[in-house]
Amino acid sequence: MSTATTGQDLCVCFPAAGGGGTTLTLLRDAAARHGLAALALPNAASVADLDSGRWQERTVEEIRSAAARRGARRIVLAGHSMGGLSAVRLQPALDMKGVRPTGVLVVNTPCPDSSGRIPTMSQLTDPEIAQVLAHDGFPPELLDDEDMLAEIAHGLRGDAAVADRLAERTAPDDRLTDLHVLCGRDDRFIPTERCAAWAHRVSGEFHLTVVPGAHSLDAARAAALGRALAGVLATTPAAEEEAA
Protein backbone atom coordinates (compact mmCIF):
# COMPACT_ATOMS: atom_id res chain seq x y z
CA MET A 1 0.00 0.00 0.00
CA SER A 2 1.33 3.44 -0.88
CA THR A 3 2.15 5.85 1.93
CA ALA A 4 2.16 8.82 -0.45
CA THR A 5 0.40 11.86 0.93
CA THR A 6 1.12 14.78 -1.38
CA GLY A 7 2.38 13.39 -4.70
CA GLN A 8 5.03 16.14 -4.86
CA ASP A 9 8.16 15.44 -6.86
CA LEU A 10 11.54 16.10 -5.25
CA CYS A 11 14.56 18.20 -6.23
CA VAL A 12 17.67 17.37 -4.21
CA CYS A 13 20.23 20.21 -4.34
CA PHE A 14 23.96 19.96 -3.59
CA PRO A 15 26.16 23.07 -3.14
CA ALA A 16 29.51 24.08 -4.53
CA ALA A 17 32.65 24.06 -2.38
CA GLY A 18 32.08 26.30 0.59
CA GLY A 19 28.35 25.51 0.65
CA GLY A 20 25.37 27.75 0.06
CA GLY A 21 25.63 30.70 -2.29
CA THR A 22 23.28 32.26 -4.81
CA THR A 23 23.32 29.28 -7.16
CA LEU A 24 21.94 26.96 -4.49
CA THR A 25 19.24 29.51 -3.68
CA LEU A 26 18.32 29.81 -7.36
CA LEU A 27 18.12 26.02 -7.66
CA ARG A 28 15.74 25.81 -4.73
CA ASP A 29 13.65 28.69 -6.08
CA ALA A 30 13.45 27.05 -9.53
CA ALA A 31 12.29 23.81 -7.91
CA ALA A 32 9.54 25.64 -6.04
CA ARG A 33 8.34 27.37 -9.23
CA HIS A 34 8.00 23.98 -10.90
CA GLY A 35 6.06 22.54 -7.97
CA LEU A 36 8.91 20.39 -6.63
CA ALA A 37 9.87 20.07 -3.00
CA ALA A 38 13.48 21.25 -2.60
CA LEU A 39 15.81 19.31 -0.31
CA ALA A 40 19.28 20.81 0.21
CA LEU A 41 21.84 18.22 1.29
CA PRO A 42 25.58 18.57 1.94
CA ASN A 43 28.42 17.04 0.00
CA ALA A 44 30.65 14.57 1.81
CA ALA A 45 32.34 16.25 4.77
CA SER A 46 35.76 14.74 4.04
CA VAL A 47 37.57 12.26 1.82
CA ALA A 48 37.21 9.70 4.61
CA ASP A 49 33.46 10.33 4.76
CA LEU A 50 33.27 9.67 1.02
CA ASP A 51 35.64 6.68 0.86
CA SER A 52 33.96 4.91 3.78
CA GLY A 53 30.62 4.94 1.98
CA ARG A 54 28.97 6.67 4.96
CA TRP A 55 28.07 9.80 3.01
CA GLN A 56 26.46 7.87 0.17
CA GLU A 57 24.57 5.55 2.52
CA ARG A 58 23.05 8.30 4.67
CA THR A 59 22.35 10.58 1.70
CA VAL A 60 20.57 7.88 -0.27
CA GLU A 61 18.50 7.07 2.81
CA GLU A 62 17.60 10.74 3.34
CA ILE A 63 16.50 11.02 -0.28
CA ARG A 64 14.50 7.79 -0.12
CA SER A 65 12.74 8.92 3.07
CA ALA A 66 11.96 12.39 1.67
CA ALA A 67 10.60 10.90 -1.57
CA ALA A 68 8.40 8.48 0.36
CA ARG A 69 7.02 11.20 2.65
CA ARG A 70 6.05 13.37 -0.30
CA GLY A 71 4.84 10.59 -2.54
CA ALA A 72 7.35 11.73 -5.17
CA ARG A 73 7.01 10.01 -8.53
CA ARG A 74 10.42 11.22 -9.68
CA ILE A 75 13.53 12.87 -8.30
CA VAL A 76 15.85 15.50 -9.74
CA LEU A 77 19.42 15.54 -8.48
CA ALA A 78 20.87 19.02 -8.99
CA GLY A 79 24.25 20.39 -8.02
CA HIS A 80 26.56 23.35 -8.51
CA SER A 81 30.22 22.65 -9.30
CA MET A 82 31.38 19.91 -6.87
CA GLY A 83 27.72 19.48 -5.92
CA GLY A 84 27.13 18.34 -9.49
CA LEU A 85 29.74 15.63 -9.00
CA SER A 86 27.80 14.52 -5.91
CA ALA A 87 24.61 14.34 -7.98
CA VAL A 88 26.30 12.32 -10.72
CA ARG A 89 27.79 9.97 -8.14
CA LEU A 90 24.46 9.32 -6.42
CA GLN A 91 22.26 8.62 -9.44
CA PRO A 92 23.42 5.00 -9.94
CA ALA A 93 22.99 4.28 -6.23
CA LEU A 94 19.42 5.58 -6.31
CA ASP A 95 18.68 3.62 -9.48
CA MET A 96 19.94 0.42 -7.85
CA LYS A 97 17.67 1.03 -4.87
CA GLY A 98 14.73 1.40 -7.22
CA VAL A 99 13.63 4.57 -5.46
CA ARG A 100 12.10 6.67 -8.26
CA PRO A 101 13.13 7.66 -11.79
CA THR A 102 15.91 10.26 -11.42
CA GLY A 103 17.14 13.07 -13.64
CA VAL A 104 20.35 15.04 -13.17
CA LEU A 105 21.06 18.75 -13.65
CA VAL A 106 24.54 20.13 -13.03
CA VAL A 107 25.71 23.75 -13.06
CA ASN A 108 29.31 24.62 -13.93
CA THR A 109 30.42 21.09 -13.06
CA PRO A 110 33.60 19.92 -14.83
CA CYS A 111 33.74 16.50 -16.44
CA PRO A 112 36.79 14.55 -15.21
CA ASP A 113 39.44 13.92 -17.84
CA SER A 114 40.65 10.42 -18.73
CA SER A 115 42.87 10.43 -15.62
CA GLY A 116 40.01 11.47 -13.33
CA ARG A 117 41.25 15.04 -12.87
CA ILE A 118 39.30 18.28 -12.78
CA PRO A 119 40.23 21.95 -12.31
CA THR A 120 40.65 22.17 -8.57
CA MET A 121 41.43 24.57 -5.73
CA SER A 122 42.94 21.84 -3.57
CA GLN A 123 46.51 22.89 -4.42
CA LEU A 124 45.97 26.62 -4.88
CA THR A 125 47.59 29.19 -2.60
CA ASP A 126 45.52 31.72 -0.68
CA PRO A 127 46.21 34.51 -3.24
CA GLU A 128 45.29 32.19 -6.12
CA ILE A 129 42.01 31.29 -4.44
CA ALA A 130 41.40 35.00 -3.87
CA GLN A 131 41.74 35.60 -7.63
CA VAL A 132 39.14 32.90 -8.38
CA LEU A 133 36.74 34.31 -5.80
CA ALA A 134 37.24 37.91 -6.92
CA HIS A 135 36.24 37.07 -10.48
CA ASP A 136 33.13 35.37 -9.10
CA GLY A 137 32.04 38.54 -7.31
CA PHE A 138 33.17 37.65 -3.78
CA PRO A 139 33.17 40.72 -1.46
CA PRO A 140 36.62 42.36 -1.79
CA GLU A 141 36.66 43.48 1.83
CA LEU A 142 36.73 39.81 2.90
CA LEU A 143 39.46 38.91 0.43
CA ASP A 144 41.58 41.86 1.58
CA ASP A 145 41.50 40.57 5.16
CA GLU A 146 44.40 38.10 5.33
CA ASP A 147 43.02 36.18 8.30
CA MET A 148 39.57 35.92 6.78
CA LEU A 149 41.02 34.86 3.42
CA ALA A 150 43.15 32.19 5.12
CA GLU A 151 40.06 30.75 6.83
CA ILE A 152 38.02 30.78 3.62
CA ALA A 153 40.84 29.26 1.57
CA HIS A 154 41.40 26.49 4.11
CA GLY A 155 37.77 25.44 3.96
CA LEU A 156 37.68 25.57 0.17
CA ARG A 157 40.80 23.42 -0.14
CA GLY A 158 39.21 20.82 2.12
CA ASP A 159 36.06 20.74 0.00
CA ALA A 160 38.15 20.66 -3.17
CA ALA A 161 39.95 17.55 -1.94
CA VAL A 162 36.56 15.83 -1.72
CA ALA A 163 35.69 17.04 -5.23
CA ASP A 164 39.00 15.62 -6.47
CA ARG A 165 38.12 12.22 -5.03
CA LEU A 166 34.60 12.34 -6.48
CA ALA A 167 36.15 13.03 -9.88
CA GLU A 168 38.64 10.17 -9.49
CA ARG A 169 35.78 7.79 -8.75
CA THR A 170 33.87 8.81 -11.87
CA ALA A 171 35.44 6.28 -14.22
CA PRO A 172 35.68 7.09 -17.96
CA ASP A 173 33.59 4.03 -18.83
CA ASP A 174 30.79 4.98 -16.41
CA ARG A 175 27.75 5.97 -18.44
CA LEU A 176 24.96 8.29 -17.37
CA THR A 177 21.58 7.62 -18.94
CA ASP A 178 20.91 11.35 -19.35
CA LEU A 179 22.30 14.66 -18.18
CA HIS A 180 21.43 18.36 -18.38
CA VAL A 181 24.34 20.80 -18.02
CA LEU A 182 24.16 24.57 -17.51
CA CYS A 183 27.37 26.57 -17.60
CA GLY A 184 28.55 30.18 -17.65
CA ARG A 185 30.67 31.12 -20.64
CA ASP A 186 32.62 33.62 -18.52
CA ASP A 187 33.62 31.09 -15.86
CA ARG A 188 37.43 31.34 -15.64
CA PHE A 189 37.66 28.44 -13.20
CA ILE A 190 35.64 25.80 -15.09
CA PRO A 191 35.97 26.35 -18.87
CA THR A 192 32.91 25.67 -20.99
CA GLU A 193 34.64 22.81 -22.79
CA ARG A 194 35.05 20.95 -19.49
CA CYS A 195 31.27 21.08 -19.01
CA ALA A 196 30.61 20.11 -22.64
CA ALA A 197 32.85 17.04 -22.23
CA TRP A 198 30.08 15.34 -20.24
CA ALA A 199 28.52 14.51 -23.62
CA HIS A 200 31.03 11.65 -23.94
CA ARG A 201 29.80 10.13 -20.63
CA VAL A 202 26.09 10.06 -21.51
CA SER A 203 24.42 7.17 -23.31
CA GLY A 204 21.03 8.85 -23.68
CA GLU A 205 19.79 12.44 -23.59
CA PHE A 206 22.43 15.16 -23.21
CA HIS A 207 21.57 18.85 -23.07
CA LEU A 208 24.10 21.68 -22.75
CA THR A 209 23.01 25.26 -22.09
CA VAL A 210 25.64 28.02 -22.13
CA VAL A 211 24.68 31.38 -20.62
CA PRO A 212 26.54 34.62 -19.88
CA GLY A 213 28.01 34.64 -16.41
CA ALA A 214 30.75 33.36 -14.15
CA HIS A 215 31.08 30.33 -11.88
CA SER A 216 28.18 31.27 -9.62
CA LEU A 217 24.84 32.11 -11.18
CA ASP A 218 23.13 35.41 -10.48
CA ALA A 219 19.46 36.30 -10.54
CA ALA A 220 19.65 37.19 -14.23
CA ARG A 221 20.14 33.48 -14.98
CA ALA A 222 17.06 32.34 -13.04
CA ALA A 223 14.99 31.93 -16.22
CA ALA A 224 17.67 29.84 -17.93
CA LEU A 225 17.99 27.67 -14.84
CA GLY A 226 14.22 27.22 -14.75
CA ARG A 227 14.21 26.13 -18.40
CA ALA A 228 17.01 23.65 -17.74
CA LEU A 229 15.06 22.17 -14.83
CA ALA A 230 11.95 21.97 -17.01
CA GLY A 231 14.05 20.05 -19.55
CA VAL A 232 15.07 17.52 -16.91
CA LEU A 233 11.44 17.00 -15.93
CA ALA A 234 10.41 16.61 -19.57
CA THR A 235 12.94 13.80 -20.13
CA THR A 236 12.46 12.04 -16.77
CA PRO A 237 9.25 10.00 -16.92
CA ALA A 238 7.36 9.80 -13.65
CA ALA A 239 6.82 6.42 -12.03
CA GLU A 240 3.34 4.99 -12.19
CA GLU A 241 1.23 5.61 -9.11
CA GLU A 242 1.17 2.67 -6.73
CA ALA A 243 -2.15 0.99 -6.29
CA ALA A 244 -3.90 1.97 -3.10
Side-chain angles (χ1 to χ4, degrees):
M1 179 179 294
S2 173
T3 58
T5 57
T6 65
Q8 186 178 31
D9 290 336
L10 182 66
C11 182
V12 184
C13 307
F14 296 94
T22 58
T23 305
L24 185 64
T25 299
L26 291 172
L27 277 170
R28 297 173 69 175
D29 290 348
R33 288 197 303 274
H34 284 81
L36 282 72
L39 175 65
L41 292 179
N43 301 303
S46 65
V47 171
D49 191 30
L50 177 64
D51 286 349
S52 67
R54 291 190 298 268
W55 169 75
Q56 179 169 304
E57 182 178 355
R58 68 173 179 268
T59 303
V60 168
E61 185 54 39
E62 283 188 69
I63 295 171
R64 291 181 65 194
S65 296
R69 287 195 305 271
R70 292 169 172 82
R73 298 175 62 212
R74 58 189 162 183
I75 298 167
V76 176
L77 300 174
H80 175 213
S81 197
M82 77 172 288
L85 292 171
S86 292
V88 167
R89 178 70 185 172
L90 287 169
Q91 187 189 29
L94 285 168
D95 282 348
M96 285 189 294
K97 293 286 186 180
V99 181
R100 302 287 191 280
T102 56
V104 181
L105 168 63
V106 300
V107 179
N108 284 330
T109 296
C111 180
D113 65 17
S114 59
S115 300
R117 291 190 294 267
I118 57 172
T120 180
M121 287 189 283
S122 60
Q123 302 301 318
L124 296 186
T125 65
D126 289 8
E128 289 170 333
I129 288 177
Q131 288 182 340
V132 173
L133 296 178
H135 182 259
D136 210 35
F138 205 81
E141 61 272 17
L142 297 182
L143 299 178
D144 291 340
D145 184 321
E146 290 187 5
D147 292 336
M148 180 65 69
L149 173 59
E151 182 178 343
I152 293 168
H154 177 74
L156 288 174
R157 278 191 289 266
D159 281 352
V162 177
D164 292 347
R165 185 57 59 91
L166 279 165
E168 291 169 5
R169 296 178 67 170
T170 305
D173 56 351
D174 287 348
R175 284 289 180 267
L176 293 163
T177 54
D178 58 82
L179 182 68
H180 292 246
V181 180
L182 181 69
C183 65
R185 69 167 61 99
D186 307 310
D187 187 345
R188 294 182 185 175
F189 183 51
I190 308 296
T192 301
E193 57 267 24
R194 293 305 296 268
C195 296
W198 282 109
H200 304 295
R201 303 288 189 100
V202 179
S203 60
E205 295 261 4
F206 176 75
H207 299 268
L208 173 67
T209 302
V210 181
V211 297
H215 189 62
S216 292
L217 300 184
D218 57 27
R221 310 301 152 224
L225 183 59
R227 289 191 295 271
L229 180 56
V232 178
L233 294 171
T235 55
T236 306
E240 294 296 328
E241 294 284 3
E242 296 179 30

